[in-house]
Amino acid sequence: MALGWFRGPHQWALWLLFASYACAFYIPGYSVKRYNDDEPIPLQVNKIFSDHTQLQYAYYKLPFVCPPSGRTHGGSPFGSGQSVSLNLGEILRGDRIMTSDFELRMGKNMECQALCTQEVGRKDVRWARQLIREGYVAEWIADNLPGATKFVTVDRSRKYYATGFKLGFEDFSPVDGKKRTYINNHFTIVIRWRSSPEGGKYVNGFEIYPKSIRAEDHGESGCPQQVHEHHDGLELYIPPNTAKLKEMYPGSSYIPQDDGDDEDGATLKIPYTYSVFFKEDNSVDWSNRWDLYFSNQDEGSMTHWLAILNSLTISGVLAVAVYVIWSRTVQGDIKGRGDGAIDETKLKARNAARMKNFERSGDEQGDDVERDAELSSDDEGLEDVSGWKLLHADVFRTPEYSGFLAPLVGSGMQLLFMASGLLFLSCLGVLNPSFRGGFVSVGMGLFVFAGLFSGYFSGRLYKTFGGVNWRKNTLITALFFPGLAFSLIFILNLFMWAQASSTAIPFGTLIGLLALWLLIQVPLVYAGSWFGFVRTTAWEHPTKTTSIPRQIPPQPWYLHSIQGAFLTGLAPFAVLFIELLFVFKNLWQDKSGYYYVFGFLSAVSSVLIVTVSEVTIIAIYSQLCAENYHWWWQSFLTGGSSAFWVFAYCIWYYVFHLHITGFVSSLLFFSYSFLACAVYGLLTGTVGFLTAYTFIRRIYSAVKVD
C-alpha cells in the first residue's frame, strides 16, 4: 500500500518537486543572475579591514557613516540594515553583510544622489582618523562581487582589481603645510555589464571611486555642484574650544590644537553622496569576471613553477637516497643469506659479547685486541648481519606514552582527510571565490565527518599497542586537539570582544561550534573507535617481541630526538617555503584577496607528503642501523618537525614583511600561526609515522629467525 502511493500521479508530483528544487539550486560561480532594464541590483555593505591590523569592524557599526534608514528599496521585503544570512565560514572570517540604502537599477545612471548628513563628535572623529591612518578599506558587495578599486599596469596594457576602497586619506594642507586627514564622503559606483544570449544583462564588474568633498560645497539638494570636478577635501577636524582651553591653561602662550573635550558638544557634519554609472563591457565574460581580482597575481606564476621545480628537485634527491637504502642495503641484507634467516643462538651470543664490551672500560690497546678476538669468535658466520636486523625482537616493542601517541595519530588522520578534501574540491572549482566563506565551512564539515577516521585509526593503533581501556582513548582522541583549538579561539575571542571587532565570533556561533563538536564529532569518533578496537583485529607484526629489552648503544648526536628532528625538518620546509610566500601574503596582507592557485598548492602539497615520507625513511633507517629501536615517537617527530621551521618563518615574516601594530593584533597573529603550525605538524607527523610503520613492517617481514 505504501509503495503504491509513489505510483501514478504521486510519482509525477514527486518528479516535478525534485525538478523545481534542482532548478532552484544555486552553485556559486556557475549560476548566472540576469537583470532586465530598470531592475534593482541590491548593494550590501560588509566590513572594513586593514593590512596593518587583524581587527575588522562591521561597516554599519562605524559611528561616522550613514546609519541604515530601515526603508525598503527595489521591491525588497527587507529594509536597509537587515543582516544577510551567513554561512559558518563567513562568520568566522569576520563578514557582517547587511542591506543598504544605495539604490542601483540596471542601466539607469544617476549623476548624484544624497544619502545622509552624519554628525559626529570629537571622539568619533579621532577614531575615524585612526582608522584612516591604519589604512582601513571598506568592502561593499553587488551581485556577489566585492566592490573594487581599479588599478592599471605601468604600460596601461591591462587593469586589475583590489577589493575594497579606502575610508579616507592623509595629505598635506595647502594652508599651513601640515599633514591632515580627509574622509571620503562621495562614492562613484560603476557597474560593468554585458548582454546575455539568453536575454537580459549580467554584471561583470563592480568598481567604486571614492572622493572627499568638503561640506561647504554641498548645495540645498545635498549634492555638490559639478560633483566630478576638483573639490577640496573634507578634513576630519573639529576646532578646539579656545575659551575653555584658556581656562584650562591660564597664562600659557601655547594652546593645544587637539580636538579638545569630548563633552563640549562640538560636532562635525559629514554629508554623504553617491553617483551610479553603467558601462557596457563585452571584453569580460561571466565565467571570467573574477579574473580581474587575480590579474595582479599573474606575475607570480613563474614563481609558482619555480616552487614546484624546487620541490621536485629536493624530493628527487631524497628519492635516490631511499632507492639506495631499499635496493642495495635492505634488499641486499635480506638476500645476502639466501633465505634471510638469522640464527637466534648466534645473535644472543653476539649480543652478550657486546653487552660485556659496553660494561668494560677499555683502558689499554691490548684489552681492545683481546676484546675484538672474543667478538670475532662469537660473531663467526654473522658478519653479514647488519645493525637493523639485530632489533628484530625489539623493534615492535610498545613505546612509552602509547596512550597519547594513538590519539595524536588519529587526529592527524582527521586533519589529513580534511586537507585532502579541501584541495580536491578547490582544484575542481567547487570552492571558488564566489562561494564566500565556503573554504572554511566545507573544511569544518569535512573535519567533523572525518571523526570516523580519527576514531578508527586511534582505536586500532591503541589495540595494537596492547591497550584495553578503549573508551578512555576515544575521549582523549575526541577532546584533546579540538578542545585545545576551541579553548585558544575562545580566549582570543575575549580580546576581540573587548575591541568590539567583527573578527570576534558571536556567542551564539560559539555555542553552535561547541554543539557541533560535542554532539556530532564526538559520537562519530566514538563510532569509529568502537569499530577500530572492537570489530577489527590489531595490526600484526612480522616478528615477536622478547620480554627483556636490549640495551641501546651510545647514539651519535644527530640521532638524538630533538637535534635529529630539527635537522630532518629542513628538507620538507625547503619544499614548502616558496609557496608559503603566496599563502602568507594572502592570509596576512591581502585579507580581502582570494587565493586561487590551488593547482600549484596541490602539486607542492603532494611533493611535500612524498618528501616527508622520504625523510622519515632515511632518518628511521639510520636510527635502526645504530641499533636504536625507539622509532615510534621519533618517526612522528621527524614527520612533523618542519612545523618548527614554519613557525620560525612566521616570526621572520612578522618582523620583516608585516606592519602589524597593537598588542591584540600581534597576539592574534602569533596565536593563529601557532594553531596552524600545530595542525600542520599533526598532519605531517602522522604521515611520517605511517610511512615508518609501513617501511619497518615491510623490511622485517622478509627477515626470518631460526
Side-chain angles (χ1 to χ4, degrees):
M1 292 290 294
L3 292 176
W5 189 86
F6 291 96
R7 300 187 178 95
H10 300 292
Q11 180 184 15
W12 292 107
L14 287 175
W15 277 110
L16 289 174
L17 181 63
F18 175 78
S20 65
Y21 274 106
C23 295
F25 184 69
Y26 173 72
I27 302 177
Y30 298 98
S31 302
V32 181
K33 171 63 176 177
R34 301 177 183 85
Y35 299 90
N36 297 320
D37 286 338
D38 206 37
E39 184 178 350
I41 302 175
L43 190 150
Q44 301 159 336
V45 298
N46 189 5
K47 61 185 178 182
I48 63 171
F49 55 89
S50 170
D51 296 341
H52 300 282
T53 176
Q54 307 305 315
L55 299 176
Q56 306 174 103
Y57 300 95
Y59 184 80
Y60 271 154
K61 294 295 183 181
L62 303 177
F64 50 85
V65 303
C66 287
S69 64
R71 299 192 305 268
T72 59
H73 301 278
S76 172
F78 305 106
S80 63
Q82 178 72 31
S83 296
V84 177
S85 298
L86 305 176
N87 59 46
L88 181 59
E90 291 175 307
I91 296 175
L92 294 180
R93 70 194 294 263
D95 287 350
R96 300 295 183 266
I97 304 176
M98 298 182 180
T99 56
S100 73
D101 285 305
F102 293 91
E103 294 190 40
L104 282 68
R105 293 184 175 275
M106 175 58 74
K108 183 178 180 180
N109 294 332
M110 188 181 302
E111 186 70 21
C112 182
Q113 175 67 39
L115 191 62
C116 81
T117 299
Q118 183 72 356
E119 289 194 30
V120 293
R122 298 185 186 274
K123 180 180 179 181
D124 298 333
V125 166
R126 282 197 294 270
W127 192 35
R129 286 205 302 259
Q130 178 184 348
L131 294 176
I132 293 174
R133 292 192 188 107
E134 292 178 350
Y136 272 90
V137 298
E139 183 183 66
W140 295 351
I141 301 170
D143 195 48
N144 204 30
L145 280 177
T149 301
K150 186 181 76 172
F151 296 92
V152 294
T153 55
V154 177
D155 58 359
R156 306 185 68 84
S157 60
R158 60 187 177 89
K159 68 177 181 178
Y160 61 91
Y161 284 166
T163 303
F165 62 91
K166 291 185 176 182
L167 290 178
F169 59 93
E170 290 184 302
D171 199 1
F172 293 96
S173 172
V175 179
D176 54 12
K178 295 182 179 180
K179 182 178 284 189
R180 303 293 185 181
T181 305
Y182 302 88
I183 188 170
N184 291 322
N185 60 334
H186 178 81
F187 313 103
T188 300
I189 300 172
V190 177
I191 302 293
R192 298 186 177 274
W193 59 272
R194 183 174 180 175
S195 298
S196 174
E198 293 80 9
K201 304 172 182 177
Y202 58 78
V203 176
N204 57 10
F206 177 28
E207 302 168 4
I208 300 176
Y209 300 88
K211 188 176 183 180
S212 182
I213 303 177
R214 64 177 184 173
E216 292 79 3
D217 293 347
H218 290 71
E220 295 182 357
S221 63
C223 287
Q225 298 293 331
Q226 298 179 344
V227 63
H228 301 295
E229 300 297 328
H230 173 74
H231 293 269
D232 292 334
L234 176 59
E235 182 183 354
L236 284 172
Y237 178 70
I238 300 178
N241 189 333
T242 307
K244 189 171 183 178
L245 288 176
K246 287 183 177 180
E247 294 179 1
M248 297 175 59
Y249 302 94
S252 175
S253 59
Y254 171 74
I255 301 297
Q257 295 300 309
D258 196 7
D259 287 337
D261 188 6
D262 295 338
E263 305 298 332
D264 62 1
T267 60
L268 173 68
K269 292 185 178 181
I270 305 177
Y272 284 96
T273 54
Y274 66 97
S275 305
V276 182
F277 296 97
F278 287 84
K279 293 186 177 180
E280 184 176 6
D281 187 353
N282 295 321
S283 62
V284 180
D285 199 2
W286 165 270
S287 59
N288 301 322
R289 65 176 190 161
W290 282 90
D291 291 354
L292 290 174
Y293 294 88
F294 305 140
S295 295
N296 61 333
Q297 303 179 34
D298 288 343
E299 300 174 356
S301 296
M302 183 60 66
T303 309
H304 286 294
W305 285 112
L306 179 62
I308 294 179
L309 181 62
N310 169 72
S311 305
L312 291 175
T313 302
I314 297 174
S315 180
V317 172
L318 294 174
V320 172
V322 172
Y323 176 79
V324 171
I325 289 175
W326 182 254
S327 65
R328 296 187 179 181
T329 307
V330 176
Q331 289 188 349
D333 287 345
I334 292 173
K335 297 178 180 178
R337 295 181 55 85
D339 59 353
I342 298 178
D343 193 323
E344 184 70 17
T345 304
K346 293 182 179 181
L347 276 178
K348 290 182 178 179
R350 176 176 176 173
N351 293 340
R354 292 177 63 88
M355 293 290 294
K356 186 177 180 181
N357 179 33
F358 294 145
E359 294 172 358
R360 292 180 182 179
S361 56
D363 300 346
E364 299 178 359
Q365 188 171 358
D367 296 337
D368 295 335
V369 174
E370 180 182 358
R371 185 163 56 252
D372 292 340
E374 293 176 1
L375 288 175
S376 63
S377 63
D378 290 334
D379 293 346
E380 183 179 358
L382 287 177
E383 55 276 348
D384 61 337
V385 178
S386 58
W388 64 271
K389 281 187 177 182
L390 303 175
L391 304 179
H392 68 94
D394 297 278
V395 70
F396 294 108
R397 190 176 300 279
T398 301
E400 295 182 353
Y401 309 108
S402 59
F404 186 54
L405 179 59
L408 288 182
V409 173
S411 298
M413 289 300 300
Q414 187 175 10
L415 294 171
L416 183 62
F417 177 85
M418 179 193 73
S420 302
L422 286 176
L423 288 177
F424 178 73
L425 293 175
S426 299
C427 291
L428 292 180
V430 176
L431 301 181
N432 56 74
S434 63
F435 188 4
R436 191 181 303 273
F439 195 84
V440 178
S441 299
V442 174
M444 187 68 67
L446 290 175
F447 180 81
V448 171
F449 174 76
L452 286 170
F453 299 93
S454 174
Y456 172 80
F457 280 93
S458 176
R460 192 167 185 185
L461 184 60
Y462 180 73
K463 186 175 184 179
T464 302
F465 287 152
V468 293
N469 193 354
W470 68 274
R471 289 184 176 85
K472 177 182 177 181
N473 177 75
T474 301
L475 288 178
I476 295 175
T477 305
L479 302 180
F480 176 69
F481 175 73
L484 287 181
F486 184 85
S487 300
L488 178 62
I489 292 175
F490 180 79
I491 294 173
L492 294 176
N493 223 46
L494 298 178
F495 288 93
M496 291 182 284
W497 272 337
Q499 298 289 327
S501 171
S502 67
T503 313
I505 303 174
F507 184 74
T509 304
L510 282 176
I511 298 299
L513 289 175
L514 191 64
L516 191 67
W517 169 31
L518 297 179
L519 300 182
I520 299 180
Q521 194 236 355
V522 171
L524 288 176
V525 173
Y526 184 89
S529 183
W530 172 83
F531 188 82
F533 188 90
V534 178
R535 302 293 295 178
T536 59
T537 60
W539 282 303
E540 296 182 358
H541 296 149
T543 61
K544 296 182 180 180
T545 302
T546 59
S547 58
I548 301 177
R550 62 183 285 118
Q551 182 174 343
I552 300 175
Q555 301 289 295
W557 67 271
Y558 55 85
L559 290 181
H560 289 278
S561 299
I562 302 300
Q563 296 94 320
F566 285 167
L567 287 176
T568 53
L570 281 173
F573 174 72
V575 168
L576 193 63
F577 86 98
I578 296 180
E579 196 65 29
L580 282 178
L581 284 172
F582 294 91
V583 176
F584 277 35
K585 186 177 185 298
N586 179 261
L587 290 178
W588 299 118
Q589 289 184 285
D590 301 336
K591 300 181 185 65
S592 63
Y594 301 91
Y595 190 87
Y596 73 105
V597 284
F598 287 103
F600 289 109
L601 183 61
S602 300
V604 173
S605 299
S606 301
V607 178
L608 172 68
I609 297 301
V610 174
T611 304
V612 168
S613 302
E614 294 168 344
V615 167
T616 305
I617 290 176
I618 296 172
I620 295 305
Y621 179 75
S622 301
Q623 180 178 339
L624 295 179
C625 288
E627 301 182 23
N628 183 352
Y629 54 86
H630 293 312
W631 63 270
W632 300 91
W633 277 104
Q634 187 66 19
S635 64
F636 189 87
L637 294 176
T638 298
S641 58
S642 56
F644 167 80
W645 297 104
V646 174
F647 189 74
Y649 184 83
C650 292
I651 299 175
W652 175 84
Y653 196 86
Y654 174 85
V655 174
F656 293 100
H657 284 269
L658 297 181
H659 306 285
I660 294 178
T661 58
F663 170 76
V664 176
S665 294
S666 299
L667 178 65
L668 290 175
F669 173 82
F670 285 108
S671 298
Y672 284 134
S673 297
F674 174 79
L675 184 60
C677 290
V679 170
Y680 170 80
L682 274 176
L683 193 153
T684 54
T686 300
V687 171
F689 174 85
L690 295 178
T691 300
Y693 192 32
T694 304
F695 172 74
I696 291 177
R697 284 167 55 91
R698 176 64 184 87
I699 64 174
Y700 280 96
S701 63
V703 176
K704 295 180 291 183
V705 180
D706 291 343

